[in-house]
């Protein structure tokens, strides 16, 4: 491959990655703020602005682990070239565009994972079976876990003996405690680690012996942040239940949007990991910045229209079911980031909506729609492997590589 062809492919792969990140920013990051808009807690344009900023920050601070999995963990024996990255990204983006155009629930993680497996096999690589098992188990657990967490959350909020001045702050405390343990690249980390959490950082400063394998400082920081979150939202709900709930919706939307950026950006940047890191010798922050710019642009340019549509849907769900869908979304997205597993955020939210709906009876939960959605997810995964394989072969044949 000549130098000019190589740089043309680098440019094409970069543009395709930006386009994929743009599509993810426009489509996958809208749900977190939709309940707050539906409850008139925040305007559409302000929500779109915050989504862009928060998702971009999440991409910068948390996107590395999933990017590495998508770029290097799905195929053994070969490295993803610029041509293969372009073929995989074009395949995944085509699936996402098809979903937007037809209204079918195309999961970005399934399309991207399948496409990268396809191009990797086309390159002559061997399947990374251990990684596939880990990802498959996680994916299969998402619907029941997300649905169960949403069911429990909705049940808590619906109980007559637990007033909203207690139930909503309690959820805020749980979210706050988890946030204290979220690992970010912007927090100073120990030698050999790329990320650290607030609780981990404090425990590194105040060294204490572990008790039964648990660092007591981590526990103390987690509890303090959780109690602080509980008290803040409780004061707001005591002053006005409506304002307190709206405040929680905005805060919850913010942390979920941040998590969405961190969990989704790797789908756009992962295919370029080998190209940028090995072939071009660039630091990881360059690729993360590229993905965050794409997500930011997509959120600002494409999210307002989708926010208006999804906010109406969440308004019909009601505040309790909306909260019930977003809380497990935040928890599972953070777990996926920690494990480096590509995940479809809409998959989590849809499962949460179903679980929250079951807490109020089966009304509004269509078994046929659930079945069609699951079948389409499986079809997306299988067909994206085949199409990614074929597209790379066509590109390689045309370019003689």
């Amino acid at each position: 491959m000549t130098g000019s062809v190589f740089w043309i492919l680098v440019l094409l792969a970069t543009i395709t990655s930006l386009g994929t990140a743009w599509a993810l920013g426009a489509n996958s990051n809208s749900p977190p703020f939709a309940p707050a808009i539906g409850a008139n807690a925040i305007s559409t344009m302000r929500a779109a602005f915050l989504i862009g900023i928060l998702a971009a920050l999440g991409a910068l601070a948390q996107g590395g682990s999933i990017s590495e999995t998508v770029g290097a963990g799905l195929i053994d024996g070969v490295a993803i070239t610029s041509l293969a990255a372009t073929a995989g990204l074009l395949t995944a983006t085509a699936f996402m565009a098809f979903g937007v155009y037809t209204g079918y629930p195309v999961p970005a993680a399934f399309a991207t994972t399948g496409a990268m497996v396809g191009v990797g096999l086309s390159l002559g690589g061997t399947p990374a079976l251990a990684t596939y098992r880990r990802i498959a188990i996680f994916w299969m657990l998402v619907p029941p876990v997300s649905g169960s967490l949403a069911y429990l959350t909705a049940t808590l909020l619906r109980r007559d003996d637990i007033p909203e001045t207690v139930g909503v702050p309690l959820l805020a405390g749980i979210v706050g405690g988890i946030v204290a343990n979220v690992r970010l690249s912007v927090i100073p980390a120990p030698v050999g680690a790329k990320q650290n959490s607030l609780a981990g950082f404090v425990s590194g400063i105040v060294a204490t012996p572990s008790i039964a394998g648990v660092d007591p400082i981590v526990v103390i920081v987690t509890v303090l942040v959780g109690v602080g979150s509980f008290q803040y939202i409780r004061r707001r709900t005591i002053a006005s239940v409506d304002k307190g709930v709206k405040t929680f919706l905005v805060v919850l939307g913010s942390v979920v949007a941040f998590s969405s950026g961190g969990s989704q950006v790797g789908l756009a940047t992962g295919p370029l990991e080998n190209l940028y890191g090995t072939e071009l010798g660039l630091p990881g922050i360059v690729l993360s910045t590229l993905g965050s710019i794409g997500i930011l642009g997509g959120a600002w340019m494409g999210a307002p229209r989708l926010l208006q549509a999804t906010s109406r849907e969440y308004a019909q769900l009601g505040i309790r079911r909306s909260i019930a869908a977003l809380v497990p979304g935040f928890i599972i997205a953070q777990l996926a980031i920690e494990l480096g597993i590509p995940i479809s955020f809409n998959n989590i939210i849809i499962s949460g909506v179903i679980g929250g709906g079951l807490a109020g009876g089966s009304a509004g939960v269509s078994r046929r729609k659930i079945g069609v959605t699951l079948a389409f997810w499986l079809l997306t995964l299988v067909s994206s492997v085949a199409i990614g394989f074929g597209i790379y072969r066509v590109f390689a044949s045309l370019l003689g590589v």
Side-chain angles (χ1 to χ4, degrees):
M1 185 183 297
T2 64
S4 59
V5 173
F6 172 76
W7 286 109
I8 289 173
L9 288 175
V10 169
L11 179 61
L12 181 58
T14 300
I15 293 173
T16 307
S17 177
L18 275 170
T20 304
W22 191 97
L24 290 168
N27 296 292
S28 298
N29 296 313
S30 297
F33 272 94
I37 295 172
N40 295 318
I42 191 172
S43 67
T44 299
M45 296 308 297
R46 182 173 294 181
F49 175 79
L50 286 177
I51 286 172
I53 296 294
L54 292 166
L57 289 175
L60 279 171
Q62 286 197 292
S65 62
I66 292 178
S67 184
E68 290 175 2
T69 299
V70 173
L74 297 176
I75 289 291
D76 293 331
V78 296
I80 301 298
T81 64
S82 55
L83 182 60
T86 302
L89 285 168
L90 285 174
T91 301
T93 304
F95 271 88
M96 285 184 271
F98 173 79
V100 172
Y101 179 75
T102 61
Y104 283 99
V106 174
F110 287 28
T112 304
T113 300
M116 295 313 298
V117 170
V119 299
L121 293 174
S122 192
L123 277 169
T126 56
L129 297 179
T131 302
Y132 300 164
R133 284 194 293 269
R134 190 164 57 94
I135 292 175
I137 291 172
F138 193 93
W139 282 355
M140 287 189 292
L141 288 175
V142 165
V145 172
S146 178
S148 299
L149 289 174
Y151 178 86
L152 292 173
T153 303
T155 301
L156 171 68
L157 294 175
R158 290 175 61 88
R159 289 178 64 96
D160 294 332
D161 57 337
I162 302 178
E164 289 182 320
T165 53
V166 174
V168 174
L170 181 60
L171 291 175
I174 294 173
V175 171
I178 295 173
V179 168
N181 290 275
V182 168
R183 297 199 303 162
L184 306 172
S185 59
V186 295
I187 299 177
V191 177
K194 296 181 180 179
Q195 298 176 330
N196 201 2
S197 66
L198 174 62
F201 175 70
V202 175
S203 70
I205 297 175
V206 186
T208 56
S210 298
I211 300 175
V214 177
D215 190 329
I217 300 299
V218 171
V219 175
I220 292 171
V221 173
T222 300
V223 171
L224 288 176
V225 175
V227 170
S229 303
F230 174 88
Q231 290 294 342
Y232 173 70
I233 297 299
R234 179 163 169 77
R235 284 197 299 267
R236 300 282 293 180
T237 52
I238 289 176
S240 169
V241 171
D242 181 62
K243 290 183 179 179
V245 171
K246 288 181 178 180
T247 299
F248 180 60
L249 282 174
V250 173
V251 172
L252 181 60
S254 297
V255 296
V256 175
F258 183 91
S259 303
S260 176
S263 65
Q264 298 295 290
V265 69
L267 303 178
T269 60
L272 304 187
E273 280 282 335
N274 179 68
L275 174 62
Y276 271 60
T278 303
E279 297 188 42
L280 298 179
L282 296 174
I285 189 63
V286 174
L287 194 53
S288 298
T289 302
L290 176 72
S292 65
I293 291 172
I295 282 183
L296 178 66
W300 282 358
M301 297 170 66
R305 178 179 57 83
L306 288 173
L307 278 170
Q308 290 178 347
T310 53
S311 63
R312 288 192 293 269
E313 296 177 2
Y314 276 93
Q316 293 173 355
L317 289 176
I319 290 178
R320 290 182 179 88
R321 282 184 65 182
S322 298
I323 293 175
L326 292 181
V327 169
F330 165 65
I331 296 173
I332 294 175
Q334 284 298 327
L335 183 59
I337 292 171
E338 181 69 21
L339 298 175
I341 294 178
I343 189 68
S344 171
F345 203 78
N346 287 332
N347 180 3
I348 303 172
I349 296 298
I350 290 172
S351 303
V353 169
I354 293 172
L358 292 174
S362 61
V365 179
S366 169
R367 293 183 179 179
R368 180 181 179 278
K369 188 173 183 179
I370 295 172
V372 170
T373 299
L374 292 175
F376 200 83
W377 287 348
L378 181 61
L379 179 63
T380 296
L381 182 62
V382 174
S383 58
S384 62
V385 174
I387 294 174
F389 185 98
I391 287 182
Y392 175 76
R393 284 294 173 90
V394 170
F395 282 4
S397 177
L398 291 174
L399 294 174
V401 297

